[in-house]
Amino acid sequence: MEKTSAASPVYRKERSNTGFWLVVLGAALWGVDPLFRIILLNTMTSTQIVLVEHIIVSLIAIPVLWKFRADLKNLRARHWIAVIFISWGGSALATVLFTMALTHNDPNTVLLLQKCNHSSLSFWLNCY
């Protein structure tokens, strides 16, 4: 009688840690972002800073959008309205206001409110 092992070998696909490190890099840049803004406010207005920031983001996003342009054709009007609302309201307008707040108030207060807004939102969502 032949002996066989009860445990079979498990084959796992090797995963890349690239996604993890991109999240780490993004979090680190988000943490030091106000330092760059405060320095840039000496030579640029809040609107100019946000414009340059969005140009850089667009240069990164356009090749990705071009690659998946077939999927973009499937978006309905309500999806495009949501994209415009998020990009103009949540991104451009909020970033201009945040950058302006760094010049008018104590930067520590502005930064504390920025870092705490996610936890306060989740608190209020859990309460209701």
PDB file of all heavy atoms in Angstrom, residues 39-76:
ATOM      1  N   ILE A  39       4.189  77.132   1.379  1.00  0.00           N
ATOM      2  CA  ILE A  39       5.356  77.701   0.686  1.00  0.00           C
ATOM      3  C   ILE A  39       4.931  78.346  -0.631  1.00  0.00           C
ATOM      4  O   ILE A  39       5.361  79.452  -0.966  1.00  0.00           O
ATOM      5  CB  ILE A  39       6.422  76.607   0.454  1.00  0.00           C
ATOM      6  CG1 ILE A  39       6.983  76.139   1.790  1.00  0.00           C
ATOM      7  CG2 ILE A  39       7.531  77.114  -0.452  1.00  0.00           C
ATOM      8  CD1 ILE A  39       7.841  74.888   1.710  1.00  0.00           C
ATOM      9  N   LEU A  40       4.065  77.673  -1.375  1.00  0.00           N
ATOM     10  CA  LEU A  40       3.628  78.199  -2.669  1.00  0.00           C
ATOM     11  C   LEU A  40       2.770  79.450  -2.531  1.00  0.00           C
ATOM     12  O   LEU A  40       2.709  80.271  -3.450  1.00  0.00           O
ATOM     13  CB  LEU A  40       2.865  77.131  -3.445  1.00  0.00           C
ATOM     14  CG  LEU A  40       3.699  75.971  -3.980  1.00  0.00           C
ATOM     15  CD1 LEU A  40       2.802  74.895  -4.571  1.00  0.00           C
ATOM     16  CD2 LEU A  40       4.688  76.469  -5.014  1.00  0.00           C
ATOM     17  N   LEU A  41       2.094  79.611  -1.385  1.00  0.00           N
ATOM     18  CA  LEU A  41       1.244  80.786  -1.188  1.00  0.00           C
ATOM     19  C   LEU A  41       2.047  82.084  -1.147  1.00  0.00           C
ATOM     20  O   LEU A  41       1.482  83.163  -1.271  1.00  0.00           O
ATOM     21  CB  LEU A  41       0.415  80.638   0.088  1.00  0.00           C
ATOM     22  CG  LEU A  41      -0.795  79.726  -0.052  1.00  0.00           C
ATOM     23  CD1 LEU A  41      -1.397  79.421   1.306  1.00  0.00           C
ATOM     24  CD2 LEU A  41      -1.825  80.343  -0.974  1.00  0.00           C
ATOM     25  N   ASN A  42       3.361  81.983  -0.974  1.00  0.00           N
ATOM     26  CA  ASN A  42       4.197  83.186  -1.004  1.00  0.00           C
ATOM     27  C   ASN A  42       4.318  83.753  -2.417  1.00  0.00           C
ATOM     28  O   ASN A  42       4.592  84.942  -2.578  1.00  0.00           O
ATOM     29  CB  ASN A  42       5.592  82.874  -0.459  1.00  0.00           C
ATOM     30  CG  ASN A  42       5.568  82.535   1.007  1.00  0.00           C
ATOM     31  OD1 ASN A  42       4.720  83.025   1.751  1.00  0.00           O
ATOM     32  ND2 ASN A  42       6.474  81.681   1.416  1.00  0.00           N
ATOM     33  N   THR A  43       4.135  82.915  -3.431  1.00  0.00           N
ATOM     34  CA  THR A  43       4.335  83.365  -4.811  1.00  0.00           C
ATOM     35  C   THR A  43       3.104  83.183  -5.699  1.00  0.00           C
ATOM     36  O   THR A  43       3.069  83.742  -6.788  1.00  0.00           O
ATOM     37  CB  THR A  43       5.504  82.601  -5.468  1.00  0.00           C
ATOM     38  OG1 THR A  43       5.231  81.197  -5.402  1.00  0.00           O
ATOM     39  CG2 THR A  43       6.815  82.900  -4.763  1.00  0.00           C
ATOM     40  N   MET A  44       2.115  82.416  -5.262  1.00  0.00           N
ATOM     41  CA  MET A  44       0.949  82.123  -6.099  1.00  0.00           C
ATOM     42  C   MET A  44      -0.327  82.341  -5.292  1.00  0.00           C
ATOM     43  O   MET A  44      -0.310  82.270  -4.062  1.00  0.00           O
ATOM     44  CB  MET A  44       0.989  80.672  -6.590  1.00  0.00           C
ATOM     45  CG  MET A  44       2.198  80.309  -7.422  1.00  0.00           C
ATOM     46  SD  MET A  44       2.320  78.534  -7.757  1.00  0.00           S
ATOM     47  CE  MET A  44       1.056  78.345  -8.986  1.00  0.00           C
ATOM     48  N   THR A  45      -1.438  82.536  -5.998  1.00  0.00           N
ATOM     49  CA  THR A  45      -2.734  82.613  -5.330  1.00  0.00           C
ATOM     50  C   THR A  45      -3.274  81.195  -5.137  1.00  0.00           C
ATOM     51  O   THR A  45      -2.778  80.237  -5.734  1.00  0.00           O
ATOM     52  CB  THR A  45      -3.739  83.432  -6.159  1.00  0.00           C
ATOM     53  OG1 THR A  45      -4.020  82.731  -7.367  1.00  0.00           O
ATOM     54  CG2 THR A  45      -3.206  84.822  -6.462  1.00  0.00           C
ATOM     55  N   SER A  46      -4.312  81.088  -4.334  1.00  0.00           N
ATOM     56  CA  SER A  46      -4.926  79.774  -4.088  1.00  0.00           C
ATOM     57  C   SER A  46      -5.443  79.163  -5.379  1.00  0.00           C
ATOM     58  O   SER A  46      -5.274  77.965  -5.625  1.00  0.00           O
ATOM     59  CB  SER A  46      -6.082  79.910  -3.101  1.00  0.00           C
ATOM     60  OG  SER A  46      -5.641  80.431  -1.884  1.00  0.00           O
ATOM     61  N   THR A  47      -6.058  79.979  -6.205  1.00  0.00           N
ATOM     62  CA  THR A  47      -6.605  79.481  -7.472  1.00  0.00           C
ATOM     63  C   THR A  47      -5.493  78.986  -8.396  1.00  0.00           C
ATOM     64  O   THR A  47      -5.657  77.962  -9.067  1.00  0.00           O
ATOM     65  CB  THR A  47      -7.416  80.591  -8.161  1.00  0.00           C
ATOM     66  OG1 THR A  47      -8.343  81.135  -7.213  1.00  0.00           O
ATOM     67  CG2 THR A  47      -8.174  80.066  -9.346  1.00  0.00           C
ATOM     68  N   GLN A  48      -4.381  79.683  -8.435  1.00  0.00           N
ATOM     69  CA  GLN A  48      -3.263  79.255  -9.282  1.00  0.00           C
ATOM     70  C   GLN A  48      -2.685  77.924  -8.805  1.00  0.00           C
ATOM     71  O   GLN A  48      -2.364  77.058  -9.620  1.00  0.00           O
ATOM     72  CB  GLN A  48      -2.164  80.318  -9.295  1.00  0.00           C
ATOM     73  CG  GLN A  48      -2.551  81.580 -10.023  1.00  0.00           C
ATOM     74  CD  GLN A  48      -1.535  82.688  -9.825  1.00  0.00           C
ATOM     75  OE1 GLN A  48      -0.862  82.758  -8.797  1.00  0.00           O
ATOM     76  NE2 GLN A  48      -1.443  83.576 -10.812  1.00  0.00           N
ATOM     77  N   ILE A  49      -2.560  77.764  -7.503  1.00  0.00           N
ATOM     78  CA  ILE A  49      -2.038  76.505  -6.947  1.00  0.00           C
ATOM     79  C   ILE A  49      -2.946  75.347  -7.340  1.00  0.00           C
ATOM     80  O   ILE A  49      -2.486  74.295  -7.797  1.00  0.00           O
ATOM     81  CB  ILE A  49      -1.889  76.595  -5.423  1.00  0.00           C
ATOM     82  CG1 ILE A  49      -0.798  77.590  -5.055  1.00  0.00           C
ATOM     83  CG2 ILE A  49      -1.589  75.223  -4.822  1.00  0.00           C
ATOM     84  CD1 ILE A  49      -0.717  77.908  -3.576  1.00  0.00           C
ATOM     85  N   VAL A  50      -4.253  75.541  -7.183  1.00  0.00           N
ATOM     86  CA  VAL A  50      -5.201  74.478  -7.498  1.00  0.00           C
ATOM     87  C   VAL A  50      -5.211  74.203  -9.002  1.00  0.00           C
ATOM     88  O   VAL A  50      -5.311  73.045  -9.430  1.00  0.00           O
ATOM     89  CB  VAL A  50      -6.608  74.841  -6.979  1.00  0.00           C
ATOM     90  CG1 VAL A  50      -7.644  73.839  -7.431  1.00  0.00           C
ATOM     91  CG2 VAL A  50      -6.581  74.924  -5.456  1.00  0.00           C
ATOM     92  N   LEU A  51      -5.075  75.235  -9.829  1.00  0.00           N
ATOM     93  CA  LEU A  51      -5.017  75.032 -11.270  1.00  0.00           C
ATOM     94  C   LEU A  51      -3.818  74.174 -11.655  1.00  0.00           C
ATOM     95  O   LEU A  51      -3.961  73.196 -12.405  1.00  0.00           O
ATOM     96  CB  LEU A  51      -4.957  76.378 -11.998  1.00  0.00           C
ATOM     97  CG  LEU A  51      -4.805  76.300 -13.513  1.00  0.00           C
ATOM     98  CD1 LEU A  51      -6.033  75.658 -14.148  1.00  0.00           C
ATOM     99  CD2 LEU A  51      -4.545  77.666 -14.101  1.00  0.00           C
ATOM    100  N   VAL A  52      -2.644  74.501 -11.133  1.00  0.00           N
ATOM    101  CA  VAL A  52      -1.446  73.715 -11.435  1.00  0.00           C
ATOM    102  C   VAL A  52      -1.605  72.283 -10.929  1.00  0.00           C
ATOM    103  O   VAL A  52      -1.249  71.318 -11.619  1.00  0.00           O
ATOM    104  CB  VAL A  52      -0.190  74.384 -10.834  1.00  0.00           C
ATOM    105  CG1 VAL A  52       1.018  73.475 -10.931  1.00  0.00           C
ATOM    106  CG2 VAL A  52       0.079  75.712 -11.512  1.00  0.00           C
ATOM    107  N   GLU A  53      -2.160  72.139  -9.734  1.00  0.00           N
ATOM    108  CA  GLU A  53      -2.390  70.803  -9.175  1.00  0.00           C
ATOM    109  C   GLU A  53      -3.298  69.977 -10.085  1.00  0.00           C
ATOM    110  O   GLU A  53      -3.029  68.806 -10.351  1.00  0.00           O
ATOM    111  CB  GLU A  53      -3.017  70.949  -7.787  1.00  0.00           C
ATOM    112  CG  GLU A  53      -3.371  69.673  -7.114  1.00  0.00           C
ATOM    113  CD  GLU A  53      -4.063  69.924  -5.788  1.00  0.00           C
ATOM    114  OE1 GLU A  53      -5.279  70.202  -5.809  1.00  0.00           O
ATOM    115  OE2 GLU A  53      -3.390  69.860  -4.753  1.00  0.00           O
ATOM    116  N   HIS A  54      -4.368  70.590 -10.571  1.00  0.00           N
ATOM    117  CA  HIS A  54      -5.299  69.855 -11.432  1.00  0.00           C
ATOM    118  C   HIS A  54      -4.720  69.582 -12.815  1.00  0.00           C
ATOM    119  O   HIS A  54      -5.076  68.579 -13.449  1.00  0.00           O
ATOM    120  CB  HIS A  54      -6.634  70.595 -11.520  1.00  0.00           C
ATOM    121  CG  HIS A  54      -7.499  70.353 -10.327  1.00  0.00           C
ATOM    122  ND1 HIS A  54      -7.261  70.937  -9.107  1.00  0.00           N
ATOM    123  CD2 HIS A  54      -8.567  69.550 -10.158  1.00  0.00           C
ATOM    124  CE1 HIS A  54      -8.159  70.529  -8.241  1.00  0.00           C
ATOM    125  NE2 HIS A  54      -8.962  69.673  -8.851  1.00  0.00           N
ATOM    126  N   ILE A  55      -3.846  70.428 -13.293  1.00  0.00           N
ATOM    127  CA  ILE A  55      -3.171  70.140 -14.566  1.00  0.00           C
ATOM    128  C   ILE A  55      -2.283  68.913 -14.410  1.00  0.00           C
ATOM    129  O   ILE A  55      -2.277  68.029 -15.271  1.00  0.00           O
ATOM    130  CB  ILE A  55      -2.362  71.369 -15.038  1.00  0.00           C
ATOM    131  CG1 ILE A  55      -3.312  72.475 -15.504  1.00  0.00           C
ATOM    132  CG2 ILE A  55      -1.393  70.991 -16.153  1.00  0.00           C
ATOM    133  CD1 ILE A  55      -2.631  73.797 -15.795  1.00  0.00           C
ATOM    134  N   ILE A  56      -1.563  68.823 -13.302  1.00  0.00           N
ATOM    135  CA  ILE A  56      -0.698  67.660 -13.061  1.00  0.00           C
ATOM    136  C   ILE A  56      -1.541  66.386 -12.957  1.00  0.00           C
ATOM    137  O   ILE A  56      -1.216  65.362 -13.563  1.00  0.00           O
ATOM    138  CB  ILE A  56       0.160  67.874 -11.796  1.00  0.00           C
ATOM    139  CG1 ILE A  56       1.167  68.993 -12.033  1.00  0.00           C
ATOM    140  CG2 ILE A  56       0.869  66.585 -11.393  1.00  0.00           C
ATOM    141  CD1 ILE A  56       1.878  69.468 -10.777  1.00  0.00           C
ATOM    142  N   VAL A  57      -2.632  66.461 -12.208  1.00  0.00           N
ATOM    143  CA  VAL A  57      -3.510  65.291 -12.065  1.00  0.00           C
ATOM    144  C   VAL A  57      -4.102  64.905 -13.424  1.00  0.00           C
ATOM    145  O   VAL A  57      -4.212  63.716 -13.747  1.00  0.00           O
ATOM    146  CB  VAL A  57      -4.610  65.564 -11.022  1.00  0.00           C
ATOM    147  CG1 VAL A  57      -5.674  64.486 -11.037  1.00  0.00           C
ATOM    148  CG2 VAL A  57      -3.999  65.684  -9.630  1.00  0.00           C
ATOM    149  N   SER A  58      -4.470  65.893 -14.220  1.00  0.00           N
ATOM    150  CA  SER A  58      -5.031  65.604 -15.548  1.00  0.00           C
ATOM    151  C   SER A  58      -4.014  64.911 -16.443  1.00  0.00           C
ATOM    152  O   SER A  58      -4.364  63.991 -17.198  1.00  0.00           O
ATOM    153  CB  SER A  58      -5.500  66.895 -16.218  1.00  0.00           C
ATOM    154  OG  SER A  58      -6.554  67.456 -15.485  1.00  0.00           O
ATOM    155  N   LEU A  59      -2.772  65.359 -16.386  1.00  0.00           N
ATOM    156  CA  LEU A  59      -1.731  64.727 -17.202  1.00  0.00           C
ATOM    157  C   LEU A  59      -1.537  63.260 -16.827  1.00  0.00           C
ATOM    158  O   LEU A  59      -1.192  62.436 -17.676  1.00  0.00           O
ATOM    159  CB  LEU A  59      -0.411  65.485 -17.068  1.00  0.00           C
ATOM    160  CG  LEU A  59      -0.386  66.877 -17.706  1.00  0.00           C
ATOM    161  CD1 LEU A  59       0.927  67.576 -17.381  1.00  0.00           C
ATOM    162  CD2 LEU A  59      -0.605  66.788 -19.199  1.00  0.00           C
ATOM    163  N   ILE A  60      -1.772  62.938 -15.568  1.00  0.00           N
ATOM    164  CA  ILE A  60      -1.661  61.541 -15.128  1.00  0.00           C
ATOM    165  C   ILE A  60      -2.921  60.757 -15.505  1.00  0.00           C
ATOM    166  O   ILE A  60      -2.854  59.599 -15.912  1.00  0.00           O
ATOM    167  CB  ILE A  60      -1.413  61.478 -13.608  1.00  0.00           C
ATOM    168  CG1 ILE A  60      -0.049  62.094 -13.287  1.00  0.00           C
ATOM    169  CG2 ILE A  60      -1.504  60.056 -13.085  1.00  0.00           C
ATOM    170  CD1 ILE A  60       0.198  62.331 -11.821  1.00  0.00           C
ATOM    171  N   ALA A  61      -4.090  61.404 -15.401  1.00  0.00           N
ATOM    172  CA  ALA A  61      -5.354  60.694 -15.616  1.00  0.00           C
ATOM    173  C   ALA A  61      -5.712  60.508 -17.087  1.00  0.00           C
ATOM    174  O   ALA A  61      -6.362  59.518 -17.445  1.00  0.00           O
ATOM    175  CB  ALA A  61      -6.488  61.442 -14.913  1.00  0.00           C
ATOM    176  N   ILE A  62      -5.313  61.435 -17.948  1.00  0.00           N
ATOM    177  CA  ILE A  62      -5.723  61.361 -19.352  1.00  0.00           C
ATOM    178  C   ILE A  62      -5.285  60.064 -20.031  1.00  0.00           C
ATOM    179  O   ILE A  62      -6.100  59.442 -20.732  1.00  0.00           O
ATOM    180  CB  ILE A  62      -5.252  62.619 -20.114  1.00  0.00           C
ATOM    181  CG1 ILE A  62      -6.126  63.804 -19.698  1.00  0.00           C
ATOM    182  CG2 ILE A  62      -5.297  62.418 -21.622  1.00  0.00           C
ATOM    183  CD1 ILE A  62      -5.676  65.142 -20.216  1.00  0.00           C
ATOM    184  N   PRO A  63      -4.042  59.585 -19.863  1.00  0.00           N
ATOM    185  CA  PRO A  63      -3.702  58.299 -20.496  1.00  0.00           C
ATOM    186  C   PRO A  63      -4.552  57.128 -19.989  1.00  0.00           C
ATOM    187  O   PRO A  63      -4.913  56.241 -20.760  1.00  0.00           O
ATOM    188  CB  PRO A  63      -2.226  58.101 -20.134  1.00  0.00           C
ATOM    189  CG  PRO A  63      -1.715  59.459 -19.817  1.00  0.00           C
ATOM    190  CD  PRO A  63      -2.868  60.213 -19.261  1.00  0.00           C
ATOM    191  N   VAL A  64      -4.896  57.154 -18.707  1.00  0.00           N
ATOM    192  CA  VAL A  64      -5.733  56.078 -18.153  1.00  0.00           C
ATOM    193  C   VAL A  64      -7.140  56.165 -18.738  1.00  0.00           C
ATOM    194  O   VAL A  64      -7.731  55.152 -19.132  1.00  0.00           O
ATOM    195  CB  VAL A  64      -5.768  56.160 -16.613  1.00  0.00           C
ATOM    196  CG1 VAL A  64      -6.713  55.135 -16.030  1.00  0.00           C
ATOM    197  CG2 VAL A  64      -4.373  56.003 -16.038  1.00  0.00           C
ATOM    198  N   LEU A  65      -7.684  57.381 -18.804  1.00  0.00           N
ATOM    199  CA  LEU A  65      -9.015  57.549 -19.396  1.00  0.00           C
ATOM    200  C   LEU A  65      -9.023  57.160 -20.869  1.00  0.00           C
ATOM    201  O   LEU A  65      -9.991  56.588 -21.362  1.00  0.00           O
ATOM    202  CB  LEU A  65      -9.476  59.001 -19.223  1.00  0.00           C
ATOM    203  CG  LEU A  65      -9.759  59.436 -17.787  1.00  0.00           C
ATOM    204  CD1 LEU A  65     -10.042  60.927 -17.731  1.00  0.00           C
ATOM    205  CD2 LEU A  65     -10.893  58.641 -17.185  1.00  0.00           C
ATOM    206  N   TRP A  66      -7.952  57.472 -21.568  1.00  0.00           N
ATOM    207  CA  TRP A  66      -7.860  57.108 -22.985  1.00  0.00           C
ATOM    208  C   TRP A  66      -7.847  55.587 -23.160  1.00  0.00           C
ATOM    209  O   TRP A  66      -8.491  55.051 -24.059  1.00  0.00           O
ATOM    210  CB  TRP A  66      -6.607  57.731 -23.606  1.00  0.00           C
ATOM    211  CG  TRP A  66      -6.493  57.435 -25.071  1.00  0.00           C
ATOM    212  CD1 TRP A  66      -5.687  56.515 -25.664  1.00  0.00           C
ATOM    213  CD2 TRP A  66      -7.232  58.040 -26.127  1.00  0.00           C
ATOM    214  NE1 TRP A  66      -5.862  56.508 -27.017  1.00  0.00           N
ATOM    215  CE2 TRP A  66      -6.821  57.449 -27.337  1.00  0.00           C
ATOM    216  CE3 TRP A  66      -8.203  59.027 -26.173  1.00  0.00           C
ATOM    217  CZ2 TRP A  66      -7.345  57.819 -28.560  1.00  0.00           C
ATOM    218  CZ3 TRP A  66      -8.720  59.385 -27.403  1.00  0.00           C
ATOM    219  CH2 TRP A  66      -8.291  58.790 -28.570  1.00  0.00           C
ATOM    220  N   LYS A  67      -7.136  54.923 -22.257  1.00  0.00           N
ATOM    221  CA  LYS A  67      -7.053  53.462 -22.339  1.00  0.00           C
ATOM    222  C   LYS A  67      -8.428  52.814 -22.138  1.00  0.00           C
ATOM    223  O   LYS A  67      -8.751  51.828 -22.777  1.00  0.00           O
ATOM    224  CB  LYS A  67      -6.060  52.946 -21.294  1.00  0.00           C
ATOM    225  CG  LYS A  67      -5.892  51.455 -21.301  1.00  0.00           C
ATOM    226  CD  LYS A  67      -4.880  50.992 -20.276  1.00  0.00           C
ATOM    227  CE  LYS A  67      -4.744  49.480 -20.291  1.00  0.00           C
ATOM    228  NZ  LYS A  67      -3.792  49.015 -19.289  1.00  0.00           N
ATOM    229  N   PHE A  68      -9.232  53.393 -21.249  1.00  0.00           N
ATOM    230  CA  PHE A  68     -10.542  52.822 -20.934  1.00  0.00           C
ATOM    231  C   PHE A  68     -11.680  53.642 -21.538  1.00  0.00           C
ATOM    232  O   PHE A  68     -12.778  53.683 -21.001  1.00  0.00           O
ATOM    233  CB  PHE A  68     -10.707  52.716 -19.413  1.00  0.00           C
ATOM    234  CG  PHE A  68      -9.748  51.757 -18.786  1.00  0.00           C
ATOM    235  CD1 PHE A  68      -8.633  52.220 -18.102  1.00  0.00           C
ATOM    236  CD2 PHE A  68      -9.927  50.392 -18.893  1.00  0.00           C
ATOM    237  CE1 PHE A  68      -7.733  51.349 -17.534  1.00  0.00           C
ATOM    238  CE2 PHE A  68      -9.039  49.506 -18.323  1.00  0.00           C
ATOM    239  CZ  PHE A  68      -7.928  49.982 -17.645  1.00  0.00           C
ATOM    240  N   ARG A  69     -11.432  54.269 -22.674  1.00  0.00           N
ATOM    241  CA  ARG A  69     -12.432  55.131 -23.304  1.00  0.00           C
ATOM    242  C   ARG A  69     -13.681  54.361 -23.718  1.00  0.00           C
ATOM    243  O   ARG A  69     -14.773  54.923 -23.743  1.00  0.00           O
ATOM    244  CB  ARG A  69     -11.833  55.895 -24.460  1.00  0.00           C
ATOM    245  CG  ARG A  69     -11.367  55.060 -25.616  1.00  0.00           C
ATOM    246  CD  ARG A  69     -10.617  55.887 -26.652  1.00  0.00           C
ATOM    247  NE  ARG A  69     -10.135  55.072 -27.747  1.00  0.00           N
ATOM    248  CZ  ARG A  69      -8.993  54.412 -27.748  1.00  0.00           C
ATOM    249  NH1 ARG A  69      -8.199  54.491 -26.688  1.00  0.00           N
ATOM    250  NH2 ARG A  69      -8.626  53.693 -28.780  1.00  0.00           N
ATOM    251  N   ALA A  70     -13.549  53.100 -24.017  1.00  0.00           N
ATOM    252  CA  ALA A  70     -14.730  52.307 -24.387  1.00  0.00           C
ATOM    253  C   ALA A  70     -15.696  52.196 -23.209  1.00  0.00           C
ATOM    254  O   ALA A  70     -16.924  52.230 -23.395  1.00  0.00           O
ATOM    255  CB  ALA A  70     -14.310  50.920 -24.855  1.00  0.00           C
ATOM    256  N   ASP A  71     -15.152  52.088 -21.997  1.00  0.00           N
ATOM    257  CA  ASP A  71     -16.013  52.019 -20.817  1.00  0.00           C
ATOM    258  C   ASP A  71     -16.694  53.358 -20.547  1.00  0.00           C
ATOM    259  O   ASP A  71     -17.801  53.396 -20.000  1.00  0.00           O
ATOM    260  CB  ASP A  71     -15.201  51.607 -19.588  1.00  0.00           C
ATOM    261  CG  ASP A  71     -14.670  50.190 -19.701  1.00  0.00           C
ATOM    262  OD1 ASP A  71     -15.279  49.386 -20.445  1.00  0.00           O
ATOM    263  OD2 ASP A  71     -13.648  49.891 -19.062  1.00  0.00           O
ATOM    264  N   LEU A  72     -16.038  54.459 -20.897  1.00  0.00           N
ATOM    265  CA  LEU A  72     -16.623  55.777 -20.673  1.00  0.00           C
ATOM    266  C   LEU A  72     -17.849  56.008 -21.544  1.00  0.00           C
ATOM    267  O   LEU A  72     -18.731  56.783 -21.191  1.00  0.00           O
ATOM    268  CB  LEU A  72     -15.585  56.870 -20.929  1.00  0.00           C
ATOM    269  CG  LEU A  72     -14.408  56.911 -19.968  1.00  0.00           C
ATOM    270  CD1 LEU A  72     -13.394  57.955 -20.405  1.00  0.00           C
ATOM    271  CD2 LEU A  72     -14.874  57.182 -18.552  1.00  0.00           C
ATOM    272  N   LYS A  73     -17.905  55.322 -22.669  1.00  0.00           N
ATOM    273  CA  LYS A  73     -19.056  55.470 -23.558  1.00  0.00           C
ATOM    274  C   LYS A  73     -20.327  54.902 -22.932  1.00  0.00           C
ATOM    275  O   LYS A  73     -21.424  55.267 -23.325  1.00  0.00           O
ATOM    276  CB  LYS A  73     -18.782  54.789 -24.898  1.00  0.00           C
ATOM    277  CG  LYS A  73     -17.708  55.475 -25.698  1.00  0.00           C
ATOM    278  CD  LYS A  73     -17.408  54.730 -26.982  1.00  0.00           C
ATOM    279  CE  LYS A  73     -16.264  55.414 -27.723  1.00  0.00           C
ATOM    280  NZ  LYS A  73     -15.877  54.678 -28.930  1.00  0.00           N
ATOM    281  N   ASN A  74     -20.179  54.027 -21.952  1.00  0.00           N
ATOM    282  CA  ASN A  74     -21.336  53.416 -21.307  1.00  0.00           C
ATOM    283  C   ASN A  74     -21.915  54.271 -20.182  1.00  0.00           C
ATOM    284  O   ASN A  74     -22.945  53.919 -19.618  1.00  0.00           O
ATOM    285  CB  ASN A  74     -20.961  52.044 -20.744  1.00  0.00           C
ATOM    286  CG  ASN A  74     -20.561  51.079 -21.841  1.00  0.00           C
ATOM    287  OD1 ASN A  74     -21.040  51.168 -22.965  1.00  0.00           O
ATOM    288  ND2 ASN A  74     -19.672  50.160 -21.513  1.00  0.00           N
ATOM    289  N   LEU A  75     -21.260  55.376 -19.849  1.00  0.00           N
ATOM    290  CA  LEU A  75     -21.760  56.226 -18.770  1.00  0.00           C
ATOM    291  C   LEU A  75     -23.003  56.985 -19.219  1.00  0.00           C
ATOM    292  O   LEU A  75     -23.080  57.468 -20.340  1.00  0.00           O
ATOM    293  CB  LEU A  75     -20.682  57.222 -18.334  1.00  0.00           C
ATOM    294  CG  LEU A  75     -19.453  56.642 -17.649  1.00  0.00           C
ATOM    295  CD1 LEU A  75     -18.488  57.757 -17.287  1.00  0.00           C
ATOM    296  CD2 LEU A  75     -19.822  55.851 -16.410  1.00  0.00           C
ATOM    297  N   ARG A  76     -23.965  57.084 -18.308  1.00  0.00           N
ATOM    298  CA  ARG A  76     -25.200  57.807 -18.591  1.00  0.00           C
ATOM    299  C   ARG A  76     -25.052  59.261 -18.141  1.00  0.00           C
ATOM    300  O   ARG A  76     -24.072  59.633 -17.519  1.00  0.00           O
ATOM    301  CB  ARG A  76     -26.356  57.148 -17.857  1.00  0.00           C
ATOM    302  CG  ARG A  76     -26.612  55.742 -18.338  1.00  0.00           C
ATOM    303  CD  ARG A  76     -27.778  55.162 -17.611  1.00  0.00           C
ATOM    304  NE  ARG A  76     -27.986  53.777 -18.058  1.00  0.00           N
ATOM    305  CZ  ARG A  76     -28.568  52.874 -17.336  1.00  0.00           C
ATOM    306  NH1 ARG A  76     -29.009  53.160 -16.127  1.00  0.00           N
ATOM    307  NH2 ARG A  76     -28.729  51.654 -17.806  1.00  0.00           N
TER     308      ARG A  76
END
